[in-house]
Amino acid sequence: MASEESFVVLVHHRGSIKRKTRSGVKFTDKDPLCIVVNPMTSYDDLVRSVLMKLGLEGAKRVKKFFYRIPRQFPEVRTPELHAKLIDVVSSSGGSNRNTTNVATAAGSSSRAAVASSSVPVYEPAVQLVASPSFAVDLNDGVGDEVGSFDILPNALEGVPPVGVGDGVLGDADEDDVEPDTIEDDSGDEVGATGPALAGGGSSSGTQQYPPHFSSLDLDAMRHEGVLGHAVGFGARDAEGTAGLTEFQVGQQFQDKDEALLSVKSYSIRRGVQYKVLESDHRRYVGKCSEFGNGCTWLIRLSLRKRKGLWEVKRYNGPHTCLATSISSDHRSLDYYVISAFIMPMVRADASVSIKVLLNATAAHFGFRPTYRRVWMAKQKAIALIYGDWDESYNDIPRWVLGVQLTMPGSVAVLRTSPVRVGGQVDESQAYFHRLFWTFPPCIEAFRHCKPLVSIDGTHLYGKYGGTLLIAIAQDGNSNILPVAFALVEGENAESWTFFLSHLREHVTPQPGLLVISDRHNGIKAALEALDEGWLPPSAYRAFCIRHVAANFALTFKGKDARRLLVNAAYAKTEVEFDYWFDILRSEDPAMCDWANRIDYSLWTQHRDEGRRFGHMTTNISECVNSILKGVRNLPVSSLVKATYCRLAELFVRKGREAEAQMGTGQQFSQHLVKCIEANLKTARCFTVTLYDRDNSKFTVAETTPTGSFSLGTYRVSLASRTCDCGYFQALHFPCQHALACCAYSRLTWTSYVHSVYQISSVFSVYQMGFTPPIPEGFWPPYDGPTVIPDPDRRRAREGRPRSTRIRTNMDEADPNRPKRCDLCRQPGHTRRCCP
């Protein structure tokens, strides 16, 4: 029975050896002794056995037990149990300190263990408490790993015994601190950072366990802090472990990839390594890395030509070796294995982060691969699901023909660059350069949206770099709608000119249009071109206040100053703007000087003459997260196809909502109705005075202030649709003061609302729907040159992939600007050398 299984504990004792460490002189005993324990051994019995073997009964007592796991072992993978011994206090009050090393032969039976396959799995009857800090990054630091644990004997019924520590550095008393380093016979050092399991390391903050533990065992361990008996840590190589099965002769696989995946997964679960002796299109042979040194594990798989299946022809198993090293990674855990595991997660959400996939892989296999390997695995999974990254570029010309056949009137402009081989142009191939596309429903929808468009770019996350440029409109119900797209090499003057010229020609020909963007120099050059139609009065430009505030924060630190700048930008009257600007000037006059260098009409709301409709940002993040979520992670052909499907779904959903609102008899959008209801609640606290016979000019006095900034008395002109508060002319629907004037004159407020807020206009935005796409087999043939990706856009093949965070010039600090200390904020030095 498992409860009767006994284990051998090795105790090292070589007398008191002094050794200097950072925390003082420590004593280490290294002579090997043997103690036999079993699951029924109590804590007191263990203490008594240690002292009896050392011959120190009555002279010493056990202060604390703790353990360590060496990084490399000469023969077997096993943790070591250490006991801190102190003198029994005598009448004189003096005491000595001494530390004894106790190494646990985990998984070793009291009988001779000729092979790991003969050792039964030990299942303790009582779960034992582990240190809550049982997680360590094996890639950090040097030396062995040290940790402490608590043992709960049956007799104590869950109460930890006195003297069992919570950690190596767990006590505040200086005398109770364990040695910083403890040497063993091999000269390894024990760092005082935290323990690691013999079953493979873990990264910082992630708890790892040997892969042979069942999920039920792991759940119990995670939730209750249980790791099993102190002498059971090294059983990774034990046979008969939960959840593992051996290969069988005659076992068949659909193809070689499935067979290799099974062999690699088996090796990872066992925590052992194997070598490939032969691998071709007909045969695969692998043997244990320790073959000939006590292990005979070997597997031979062959292709059965008649059935087309791979079959196990010979199998010598299971492994009879013990692992000789410990690592947080495994050689067989390559990106092919990882891609097969993460495939369902990537299929469900292509935008799932690498960090999430890495943690899931580490939790499943018990090993923690590198970030780069998981990134490559995700790219492989995406390629299997959505198509090859390189071939997707050649699918774009056919897609252009197919979408124009599906929906006549679709605009798709493809630009390529020549491929030169040895100084000569290769006519059979062409590099992908740029692509602009939009669809007839988007063109028609923009005619019924607010007369403004936001433009911005976002980087692609795939195998090849690039930038997706997007033009975003907004309907009268505050729903954002992408109306045009472009794939370009990056944000520069040429790429923005390409995008904006086609946007003006095909989507936004209306005069008096407002363009909201960041302060990118490429956008500025494209909008200021004389022949593109973006100059006033044909079009006007405004800055996204989020980008302006981000540029401001690069020069002036502090959230309060940034908040004052944003409040000034959102002010709808010059009086309110001056109020916030004066506060900003009192903080630092240089802040106002910085803001004055930008034309007020570009970033303040009170100078935009109502063209913004209250919109101060580009809405790019909302658009990507709500409509285009995940498309940046896809191959280019899948990306452009996804825009068609996502927009078709959006038009159906929003069209149904608008149609349902029209069916209930509503006249205006839900967004406007909510704003009007909020204004009506405060309109009852005003005193209205009429100043003309045409019921058009009024003064409104507030009996109580209605906001953080109040003038007290406001002039309202219903004929010109203006109010001193600025809301009427900025938002194009009656403010609270205008509503009070309408109620005083018994006029309906509906005639003073802009037509874009009518529910009929909102429905017209989505009235023209998309048609089902024609299957690719019916697309017209393409007989042009093969379109291939530009190799210069290929991401780095080595090292961690570069960050693909959206970065514009607002994120780029001045290279000539001196560095500042994070602590004192003074230039000339860094945090590390701050005086």
Side-chain angles (χ1 to χ4, degrees):
M1 295 178 61
S3 61
E4 298 176 356
E5 187 66 32
S6 58
F7 298 87
V8 177
V9 177
L10 302 180
V11 181
H12 300 270
H13 178 69
R14 193 183 294 166
S16 297
I17 301 176
K18 291 186 178 181
R19 183 172 54 82
K20 291 186 177 181
T21 66
R22 287 175 297 176
S23 59
V25 178
K26 304 297 176 182
F27 298 87
T28 304
D29 295 335
K30 294 188 175 182
D31 263 357
L33 301 173
C34 293
I35 298 175
V36 179
V37 299
N38 57 55
M40 301 306 295
T41 301
S42 67
Y43 174 77
D44 292 337
D45 293 338
L46 179 61
V47 170
R48 191 178 302 108
S49 300
V50 171
L51 296 177
M52 184 181 301
K53 286 288 184 178
L54 294 176
L56 299 175
E57 283 185 298
K60 300 282 187 179
R61 68 181 181 88
V62 176
K63 171 68 174 179
K64 181 186 297 185
F65 279 114
F66 57 99
Y67 64 88
R68 73 167 184 173
I69 303 177
R71 290 187 182 277
Q72 293 183 348
F73 298 83
E75 297 178 358
V76 297
R77 176 177 303 180
T78 176
E80 296 180 354
L81 182 65
H82 296 261
K84 181 178 181 179
L85 306 181
I86 62 175
D87 288 340
V88 175
V89 179
S90 62
S91 59
S92 61
S95 65
N96 262 337
R97 303 284 174 166
N98 200 348
T99 302
T100 302
N101 296 345
V102 184
T104 64
S108 301
S109 175
S110 57
R111 55 185 177 275
V114 297
S116 61
S117 59
S118 64
V119 181
V121 179
Y122 168 64
E123 299 179 2
V126 178
Q127 294 179 327
L128 309 171
V129 176
S131 169
S133 62
F134 195 82
V136 68
D137 187 352
L138 292 182
N139 295 322
D140 294 338
V142 293
D144 306 330
E145 308 301 342
V146 177
S148 64
F149 62 91
D150 297 339
I151 303 177
L152 294 184
N154 297 346
L156 297 181
E157 297 181 352
V159 180
V162 177
V164 180
D166 295 330
V168 175
L169 302 177
D171 297 333
D173 187 1
E174 179 63 24
D175 293 337
D176 291 340
V177 177
E178 296 299 334
D180 291 331
T181 55
I182 300 176
E183 292 184 352
D184 58 10
D185 293 332
S186 62
D188 293 337
E189 290 189 349
V190 182
T193 57
L197 277 175
S202 68
S203 180
S204 176
T206 303
Q207 193 162 343
Q208 300 295 336
Y209 301 94
H212 68 266
F213 280 104
S214 66
S215 60
L216 182 60
D217 295 334
L218 293 180
D219 289 340
M221 293 174 183
R222 293 189 183 100
H223 290 294
E224 302 200 22
V226 174
L227 289 178
H229 204 282
V231 296
F233 287 151
R236 158 177 281 192
D237 305 293
E239 180 57 9
T241 53
L244 284 181
T245 57
E246 298 294 331
F247 292 98
Q248 302 294 330
V249 175
Q251 185 175 350
Q252 295 181 341
F253 303 92
Q254 293 294 327
D255 51 34
K256 184 179 179 180
D257 290 340
E258 181 182 342
L260 295 187
L261 180 62
S262 181
V263 175
K264 290 179 179 180
S265 299
Y266 172 86
S267 176
I268 296 168
R269 293 290 188 181
R270 289 287 181 186
V272 295
Q273 306 286 353
Y274 74 97
K275 298 179 181 179
V276 178
L277 301 181
E278 185 177 358
S279 178
D280 54 33
H281 64 284
R282 296 183 305 167
R283 190 177 297 104
Y284 183 86
V285 181
K287 69 176 182 180
C288 179
S289 299
E290 299 297 322
F291 194 88
N293 294 329
C295 185
T296 60
W297 188 90
L298 181 144
I299 188 169
R300 182 190 299 273
L301 299 103
S302 300
L303 173 65
R304 298 194 62 179
K305 294 185 178 180
R306 289 187 177 182
K307 297 184 178 181
L309 302 176
W310 282 74
E311 183 176 299
V312 178
K313 291 294 186 180
R314 179 184 174 187
Y315 181 67
N316 294 345
H319 282 274
T320 57
C321 60
L322 295 174
T324 60
S325 64
I326 185 171
S327 174
S328 62
D329 201 355
H330 196 285
R331 184 173 61 189
S332 296
L333 189 58
D334 53 24
Y335 71 94
Y336 292 96
V337 176
I338 300 173
S339 65
F341 168 69
I342 67 176
M343 187 80 68
M345 289 181 281
V346 176
R347 190 187 303 274
D349 182 9
S351 64
V352 59
S353 67
I354 302 298
K355 183 178 180 180
V356 170
L357 298 176
L358 194 153
N359 291 333
T361 303
H364 180 74
F365 290 103
F367 294 93
R368 192 171 187 85
T370 63
Y371 184 99
R372 172 77 182 184
R373 196 183 308 166
V374 179
W375 183 87
M376 294 176 61
K378 182 182 178 181
Q379 306 312 307
K380 180 177 178 62
I382 289 177
L384 293 174
I385 298 172
Y386 298 101
D388 185 77
W389 291 93
D390 295 347
E391 295 177 359
S392 66
Y393 285 89
N394 195 41
D395 293 338
I396 291 181
R398 287 202 67 216
W399 176 84
V400 171
L401 299 175
V403 73
Q404 291 175 343
L405 179 64
T406 299
M407 290 202 73
S410 298
V411 179
V413 182
L414 175 62
R415 295 284 186 267
T416 59
S417 57
V419 176
R420 298 184 181 275
V421 180
Q424 301 294 325
V425 177
D426 186 357
E427 300 291 345
S428 63
Q429 292 182 326
Y431 288 136
F432 174 86
H433 189 44
R434 297 179 183 131
L435 173 68
F436 173 90
W437 74 98
T438 186
F439 309 109
C442 297
I443 300 174
E444 179 63 24
F446 187 76
R447 298 175 183 174
H448 306 281
C449 291
K450 297 173 183 177
L452 58 89
V453 61
S454 302
I455 58 174
D456 209 339
T458 177
H459 288 278
L460 304 182
Y461 287 166
K463 180 179 178 180
Y464 293 92
T467 303
L468 174 65
L469 305 182
I470 309 174
I472 305 169
Q474 192 171 59
D475 64 15
N477 200 25
S478 293
N479 297 314
I480 57 176
L481 170 69
V483 294
F485 310 89
L487 281 174
V488 296
E489 69 279 9
E491 293 192 68
N492 52 57
E494 293 77 15
S495 62
W496 275 114
T497 300
F498 168 79
F499 176 64
L500 291 174
S501 61
H502 289 291
L503 178 68
R504 190 64 167 167
E505 177 183 357
H506 301 292
V507 184
T508 62
Q510 297 89 339
L513 191 71
L514 179 70
V515 179
I516 303 177
S517 68
D518 58 32
R519 301 171 62 200
H520 197 283
N521 290 330
I523 299 177
K524 178 182 178 182
L527 292 176
E528 292 179 353
L530 297 177
D531 55 347
E532 298 297 339
W534 291 108
L535 294 175
S538 299
Y540 300 88
R541 188 187 183 191
F543 289 152
C544 171
I545 188 57
R546 183 182 67 85
H547 291 79
V548 174
N551 293 155
F552 178 83
L554 294 177
T555 305
F556 305 100
K557 305 300 180 180
K559 294 182 179 179
D560 292 339
R562 179 173 176 173
R563 178 181 55 83
L564 293 173
L565 181 74
V566 172
N567 289 345
Y570 272 86
K572 296 176 175 60
T573 62
E574 187 173 359
V575 176
E576 184 180 359
F577 172 82
D578 292 338
Y579 170 78
W580 293 112
F581 218 57
D582 289 342
I583 300 178
L584 188 66
R585 184 177 290 106
S586 65
E587 293 285 336
D588 188 352
M591 297 179 182
C592 294
D593 295 338
W594 184 94
N596 287 331
R597 290 196 292 267
I598 309 174
D599 190 346
Y600 283 177
S601 63
L602 295 176
W603 66 281
T604 63
Q605 193 167 195
H606 79 281
R607 290 284 188 91
D608 73 343
E609 300 180 5
R611 298 188 184 96
R612 283 182 179 264
F613 278 74
H615 300 296
M616 302 295 291
T617 64
T618 60
N619 293 317
I620 181 67
S621 58
E622 291 83 358
C623 177
V624 170
N625 292 332
S626 62
I627 302 174
L628 303 176
K629 184 176 179 60
V631 300
R632 295 182 294 168
N633 301 270
L634 305 180
V636 291
S637 60
S638 298
L639 186 153
V640 296
K641 294 174 186 176
T643 59
Y644 188 93
C645 299
R646 300 284 181 88
L647 286 173
E649 179 185 356
L650 177 70
F651 271 64
V652 171
R653 185 174 70 254
K654 295 301 180 181
R656 285 178 177 174
E657 292 177 2
E659 188 176 17
Q661 294 173 24
M662 291 180 62
T664 59
Q666 295 185 24
Q667 185 179 357
F668 298 102
S669 66
Q670 289 182 336
H671 171 72
L672 179 79
V673 171
K674 291 180 181 179
C675 293
I676 293 295
E677 290 176 351
N679 289 340
L680 285 173
K681 291 181 180 179
T682 56
R684 303 168 184 172
C685 304
F686 301 148
T687 301
V688 180
T689 304
L690 176 64
Y691 276 83
D692 72 336
R693 294 173 296 175
D694 298 328
N695 290 330
S696 63
K697 295 181 179 180
F698 306 83
T699 60
V700 178
E702 295 181 347
T703 56
T704 57
T706 58
S708 60
F709 181 85
S710 176
L711 295 177
T713 303
Y714 300 85
R715 295 173 299 168
V716 179
S717 175
L718 296 180
S720 60
R721 301 186 180 186
T722 60
C723 178
D724 284 346
C725 71
Y727 281 79
F728 201 172
Q729 52 268 40
L731 304 180
H732 300 279
F733 60 80
C735 62
Q736 50 196 358
H737 310 106
L739 291 175
C741 295
C742 290
Y744 177 84
S745 302
R746 292 179 174 83
L747 299 175
T748 59
W749 56 265
T750 57
S751 58
Y752 301 104
V753 177
H754 195 285
S755 60
V756 74
Y757 294 107
Q758 295 179 1
I759 193 64
S760 57
S761 297
V762 177
F763 177 73
S764 298
V765 173
Y766 308 100
Q767 188 171 13
M768 183 179 182
F770 287 74
T771 58
I774 297 176
E776 297 185 18
F778 296 98
W779 288 358
Y782 168 72
D783 55 0
T786 302
V787 179
I788 60 176
D790 189 339
D792 293 338
R793 297 192 199 175
R794 175 75 182 268
R795 296 193 184 276
R797 298 173 183 268
E798 297 180 357
R800 178 172 177 145
R802 294 181 60 186
S803 172
T804 49
R805 177 183 177 270
I806 298 177
R807 292 184 181 271
T808 61
N809 64 332
M810 73 174 185
D811 299 303
E812 298 174 2
D814 184 4
N816 299 322
R817 178 183 173 193
K819 292 184 178 180
R820 290 179 178 269
C821 175
D822 292 338
L823 292 178
C824 66
R825 303 307 307 162
Q826 297 300 317
H829 64 272
T830 60
R831 180 190 185 104
R832 178 174 296 180
C833 55
C834 179

